[in-house]
PDB file of all heavy atoms in Angstrom:
ATOM      1  N   ALA A 330       1.229 -12.290   5.259  1.00 98.00           N
ATOM      2  CA  ALA A 330       2.518 -12.728   4.708  1.00 98.00           C
ATOM      3  C   ALA A 330       3.413 -11.517   4.418  1.00 98.00           C
ATOM      4  O   ALA A 330       4.625 -11.542   4.657  1.00 98.00           O
ATOM      5  CB  ALA A 330       2.294 -13.548   3.436  1.00 98.00           C
ATOM      6  N   HIS A 331       2.810 -10.441   3.922  1.00 98.00           N
ATOM      7  CA  HIS A 331       3.573  -9.210   3.645  1.00 98.00           C
ATOM      8  C   HIS A 331       4.181  -8.657   4.940  1.00 98.00           C
ATOM      9  O   HIS A 331       5.378  -8.364   5.000  1.00 98.00           O
ATOM     10  CB  HIS A 331       2.630  -8.180   2.998  1.00 98.00           C
ATOM     11  CG  HIS A 331       3.241  -6.836   2.762  1.00 98.00           C
ATOM     12  ND1 HIS A 331       3.630  -6.402   1.517  1.00 98.00           N
ATOM     13  CD2 HIS A 331       3.512  -5.816   3.613  1.00 98.00           C
ATOM     14  CE1 HIS A 331       4.124  -5.180   1.613  1.00 98.00           C
ATOM     15  NE2 HIS A 331       4.060  -4.793   2.876  1.00 98.00           N
ATOM     16  N   GLU A 332       3.358  -8.544   5.969  1.00 98.00           N
ATOM     17  CA  GLU A 332       3.848  -7.941   7.218  1.00 98.00           C
ATOM     18  C   GLU A 332       4.901  -8.825   7.883  1.00 98.00           C
ATOM     19  O   GLU A 332       5.868  -8.323   8.456  1.00 98.00           O
ATOM     20  CB  GLU A 332       2.691  -7.686   8.184  1.00 98.00           C
ATOM     21  CG  GLU A 332       1.602  -6.755   7.663  1.00 98.00           C
ATOM     22  CD  GLU A 332       2.129  -5.445   7.113  1.00 98.00           C
ATOM     23  OE1 GLU A 332       3.138  -4.939   7.648  1.00 98.00           O
ATOM     24  OE2 GLU A 332       1.557  -4.936   6.125  1.00 98.00           O
ATOM     25  N   LEU A 333       4.702 -10.130   7.812  1.00 98.00           N
ATOM     26  CA  LEU A 333       5.678 -11.020   8.440  1.00 98.00           C
ATOM     27  C   LEU A 333       6.978 -11.041   7.630  1.00 98.00           C
ATOM     28  O   LEU A 333       8.067 -11.144   8.199  1.00 98.00           O
ATOM     29  CB  LEU A 333       5.089 -12.417   8.632  1.00 98.00           C
ATOM     30  CG  LEU A 333       3.904 -12.461   9.616  1.00 98.00           C
ATOM     31  CD1 LEU A 333       3.404 -13.885   9.810  1.00 98.00           C
ATOM     32  CD2 LEU A 333       4.260 -11.845  10.970  1.00 98.00           C
ATOM     33  N   ALA A 334       6.879 -10.889   6.314  1.00 98.00           N
ATOM     34  CA  ALA A 334       8.099 -10.787   5.498  1.00 98.00           C
ATOM     35  C   ALA A 334       8.918  -9.572   5.930  1.00 98.00           C
ATOM     36  O   ALA A 334      10.152  -9.594   5.914  1.00 98.00           O
ATOM     37  CB  ALA A 334       7.740 -10.690   4.016  1.00 98.00           C
ATOM     38  N   HIS A 335       8.232  -8.516   6.328  1.00 98.00           N
ATOM     39  CA  HIS A 335       8.918  -7.309   6.808  1.00 98.00           C
ATOM     40  C   HIS A 335       9.783  -7.572   8.039  1.00 98.00           C
ATOM     41  O   HIS A 335      10.681  -6.791   8.336  1.00 98.00           O
ATOM     42  CB  HIS A 335       7.893  -6.249   7.230  1.00 98.00           C
ATOM     43  CG  HIS A 335       7.463  -5.325   6.138  1.00 98.00           C
ATOM     44  ND1 HIS A 335       8.353  -4.685   5.321  1.00 98.00           N
ATOM     45  CD2 HIS A 335       6.231  -4.898   5.770  1.00 98.00           C
ATOM     46  CE1 HIS A 335       7.672  -3.896   4.478  1.00 98.00           C
ATOM     47  NE2 HIS A 335       6.383  -4.020   4.721  1.00 98.00           N
ATOM     48  N   GLN A 336       9.466  -8.621   8.797  1.00 98.00           N
ATOM     49  CA  GLN A 336      10.253  -8.843  10.006  1.00 98.00           C
ATOM     50  C   GLN A 336      11.724  -9.065   9.633  1.00 98.00           C
ATOM     51  O   GLN A 336      12.608  -8.846  10.438  1.00 98.00           O
ATOM     52  CB  GLN A 336       9.705 -10.040  10.812  1.00 98.00           C
ATOM     53  CG  GLN A 336       8.212  -9.925  11.177  1.00 98.00           C
ATOM     54  CD  GLN A 336       7.887  -8.740  12.085  1.00 98.00           C
ATOM     55  OE1 GLN A 336       8.516  -8.546  13.119  1.00 98.00           O
ATOM     56  NE2 GLN A 336       6.909  -7.926  11.702  1.00 98.00           N
ATOM     57  N   TRP A 337      11.959  -9.462   8.371  1.00 98.00           N
ATOM     58  CA  TRP A 337      13.332  -9.577   7.878  1.00 98.00           C
ATOM     59  C   TRP A 337      13.716  -8.304   7.118  1.00 98.00           C
ATOM     60  O   TRP A 337      14.680  -7.655   7.476  1.00 98.00           O
ATOM     61  CB  TRP A 337      13.455 -10.824   6.975  1.00 98.00           C
ATOM     62  CG  TRP A 337      13.498 -12.090   7.764  1.00 98.00           C
ATOM     63  CD1 TRP A 337      14.620 -12.806   8.093  1.00 98.00           C
ATOM     64  CD2 TRP A 337      12.391 -12.786   8.380  1.00 98.00           C
ATOM     65  NE1 TRP A 337      14.284 -13.902   8.863  1.00 98.00           N
ATOM     66  CE2 TRP A 337      12.928 -13.921   9.057  1.00 98.00           C
ATOM     67  CE3 TRP A 337      11.021 -12.589   8.441  1.00 98.00           C
ATOM     68  CZ2 TRP A 337      12.138 -14.825   9.765  1.00 98.00           C
ATOM     69  CZ3 TRP A 337      10.224 -13.481   9.150  1.00 98.00           C
ATOM     70  CH2 TRP A 337      10.765 -14.573   9.801  1.00 98.00           C
ATOM     71  N   THR A 338      12.961  -7.974   6.074  1.00 98.00           N
ATOM     72  CA  THR A 338      13.283  -6.766   5.290  1.00 98.00           C
ATOM     73  C   THR A 338      12.410  -5.619   5.782  1.00 98.00           C
ATOM     74  O   THR A 338      11.256  -5.499   5.390  1.00 98.00           O
ATOM     75  CB  THR A 338      13.048  -6.984   3.789  1.00 98.00           C
ATOM     76  OG1 THR A 338      11.728  -7.497   3.613  1.00 98.00           O
ATOM     77  CG2 THR A 338      14.033  -7.966   3.200  1.00 98.00           C
ATOM     78  N   GLY A 339      12.966  -4.788   6.621  1.00 97.00           N
ATOM     79  CA  GLY A 339      12.215  -3.680   7.210  1.00 97.00           C
ATOM     80  C   GLY A 339      12.511  -3.597   8.698  1.00 97.00           C
ATOM     81  O   GLY A 339      12.742  -2.518   9.235  1.00 97.00           O
ATOM     82  N   ASP A 340      12.508  -4.788   9.336  1.00 98.00           N
ATOM     83  CA  ASP A 340      12.696  -4.797  10.787  1.00 98.00           C
ATOM     84  C   ASP A 340      14.112  -5.246  11.177  1.00 98.00           C
ATOM     85  O   ASP A 340      14.829  -4.530  11.852  1.00 98.00           O
ATOM     86  CB  ASP A 340      11.653  -5.720  11.445  1.00 98.00           C
ATOM     87  CG  ASP A 340      10.227  -5.190  11.286  1.00 98.00           C
ATOM     88  OD1 ASP A 340      10.036  -4.225  10.511  1.00 98.00           O
ATOM     89  OD2 ASP A 340       9.307  -5.724  11.929  1.00 98.00           O
ATOM     90  N   THR A 341      14.493  -6.460  10.708  1.00 98.00           N
ATOM     91  CA  THR A 341      15.859  -6.918  11.000  1.00 98.00           C
ATOM     92  C   THR A 341      16.872  -6.035  10.258  1.00 98.00           C
ATOM     93  O   THR A 341      17.838  -5.554  10.835  1.00 98.00           O
ATOM     94  CB  THR A 341      16.031  -8.391  10.563  1.00 98.00           C
ATOM     95  OG1 THR A 341      15.081  -9.192  11.264  1.00 98.00           O
ATOM     96  CG2 THR A 341      17.428  -8.898  10.892  1.00 98.00           C
ATOM     97  N   VAL A 342      16.617  -5.829   8.955  1.00 98.00           N
ATOM     98  CA  VAL A 342      17.397  -4.854   8.173  1.00 98.00           C
ATOM     99  C   VAL A 342      16.460  -3.699   7.835  1.00 98.00           C
ATOM    100  O   VAL A 342      15.376  -3.907   7.295  1.00 98.00           O
ATOM    101  CB  VAL A 342      17.954  -5.465   6.874  1.00 98.00           C
ATOM    102  CG1 VAL A 342      18.766  -4.411   6.111  1.00 98.00           C
ATOM    103  CG2 VAL A 342      18.815  -6.687   7.169  1.00 98.00           C
ATOM    104  N   THR A 343      16.889  -2.493   8.172  1.00 98.00           N
ATOM    105  CA  THR A 343      16.040  -1.318   7.995  1.00 98.00           C
ATOM    106  C   THR A 343      16.665  -0.376   6.975  1.00 98.00           C
ATOM    107  O   THR A 343      17.887  -0.238   6.926  1.00 98.00           O
ATOM    108  CB  THR A 343      15.886  -0.592   9.358  1.00 98.00           C
ATOM    109  OG1 THR A 343      15.287  -1.496  10.282  1.00 98.00           O
ATOM    110  CG2 THR A 343      15.035   0.650   9.232  1.00 98.00           C
ATOM    111  N   LEU A 344      15.815   0.263   6.185  1.00 97.00           N
ATOM    112  CA  LEU A 344      16.323   1.260   5.243  1.00 97.00           C
ATOM    113  C   LEU A 344      17.082   2.344   5.986  1.00 97.00           C
ATOM    114  O   LEU A 344      16.772   2.668   7.128  1.00 97.00           O
ATOM    115  CB  LEU A 344      15.173   1.882   4.448  1.00 97.00           C
ATOM    116  CG  LEU A 344      14.236   2.839   5.197  1.00 97.00           C
ATOM    117  CD1 LEU A 344      13.506   3.702   4.192  1.00 97.00           C
ATOM    118  CD2 LEU A 344      13.262   2.101   6.084  1.00 97.00           C
ATOM    119  N   ASP A 345      18.075   2.904   5.320  1.00 97.00           N
ATOM    120  CA  ASP A 345      18.867   3.959   5.929  1.00 97.00           C
ATOM    121  C   ASP A 345      18.122   5.298   5.879  1.00 97.00           C
ATOM    122  O   ASP A 345      18.176   6.097   6.798  1.00 97.00           O
ATOM    123  CB  ASP A 345      20.200   4.068   5.171  1.00 97.00           C
ATOM    124  CG  ASP A 345      21.124   5.074   5.819  1.00 97.00           C
ATOM    125  OD1 ASP A 345      21.496   4.844   6.982  1.00 97.00           O
ATOM    126  OD2 ASP A 345      21.440   6.095   5.182  1.00 97.00           O
ATOM    127  N   TRP A 346      17.414   5.524   4.754  1.00 98.00           N
ATOM    128  CA  TRP A 346      16.676   6.788   4.594  1.00 98.00           C
ATOM    129  C   TRP A 346      15.488   6.509   3.686  1.00 98.00           C
ATOM    130  O   TRP A 346      15.457   5.502   2.971  1.00 98.00           O
ATOM    131  CB  TRP A 346      17.614   7.877   4.032  1.00 98.00           C
ATOM    132  CG  TRP A 346      16.960   9.210   3.826  1.00 98.00           C
ATOM    133  CD1 TRP A 346      16.931   9.908   2.648  1.00 98.00           C
ATOM    134  CD2 TRP A 346      16.256  10.016   4.780  1.00 98.00           C
ATOM    135  NE1 TRP A 346      16.253  11.100   2.824  1.00 98.00           N
ATOM    136  CE2 TRP A 346      15.818  11.189   4.128  1.00 98.00           C
ATOM    137  CE3 TRP A 346      15.930   9.849   6.136  1.00 98.00           C
ATOM    138  CZ2 TRP A 346      15.091  12.187   4.763  1.00 98.00           C
ATOM    139  CZ3 TRP A 346      15.201  10.844   6.775  1.00 98.00           C
ATOM    140  CH2 TRP A 346      14.797  11.996   6.095  1.00 98.00           C
ATOM    141  N   TRP A 347      14.499   7.407   3.698  1.00 97.00           N
ATOM    142  CA  TRP A 347      13.212   7.129   3.064  1.00 97.00           C
ATOM    143  C   TRP A 347      13.284   6.949   1.546  1.00 97.00           C
ATOM    144  O   TRP A 347      12.355   6.391   0.955  1.00 97.00           O
ATOM    145  CB  TRP A 347      12.204   8.215   3.418  1.00 97.00           C
ATOM    146  CG  TRP A 347      11.889   8.235   4.880  1.00 97.00           C
ATOM    147  CD1 TRP A 347      12.226   9.195   5.783  1.00 97.00           C
ATOM    148  CD2 TRP A 347      11.189   7.216   5.629  1.00 97.00           C
ATOM    149  NE1 TRP A 347      11.786   8.843   7.042  1.00 97.00           N
ATOM    150  CE2 TRP A 347      11.152   7.653   6.986  1.00 97.00           C
ATOM    151  CE3 TRP A 347      10.612   6.001   5.297  1.00 97.00           C
ATOM    152  CZ2 TRP A 347      10.536   6.900   7.986  1.00 97.00           C
ATOM    153  CZ3 TRP A 347      10.008   5.255   6.294  1.00 97.00           C
ATOM    154  CH2 TRP A 347       9.975   5.707   7.624  1.00 97.00           C
ATOM    155  N   ASN A 348      14.354   7.412   0.906  1.00 97.00           N
ATOM    156  CA  ASN A 348      14.441   7.179  -0.550  1.00 97.00           C
ATOM    157  C   ASN A 348      14.610   5.698  -0.861  1.00 97.00           C
ATOM    158  O   ASN A 348      14.404   5.271  -1.996  1.00 97.00           O
ATOM    159  CB  ASN A 348      15.589   8.000  -1.170  1.00 97.00           C
ATOM    160  CG  ASN A 348      16.946   7.612  -0.618  1.00 97.00           C
ATOM    161  OD1 ASN A 348      17.037   7.010   0.450  1.00 97.00           O
ATOM    162  ND2 ASN A 348      17.992   7.924  -1.338  1.00 97.00           N
TER     163      ASN A 348
END
Side-chain angles (χ1 to χ4, degrees):
H331 175 104
E332 301 309 326
L333 295 183
H335 271 311
Q336 305 297 309
W337 284 261
T338 52
D340 294 10
T341 301
V342 180
T343 300
L344 72 160
D345 184 62
W346 180 236
W347 295 111
N348 62 341

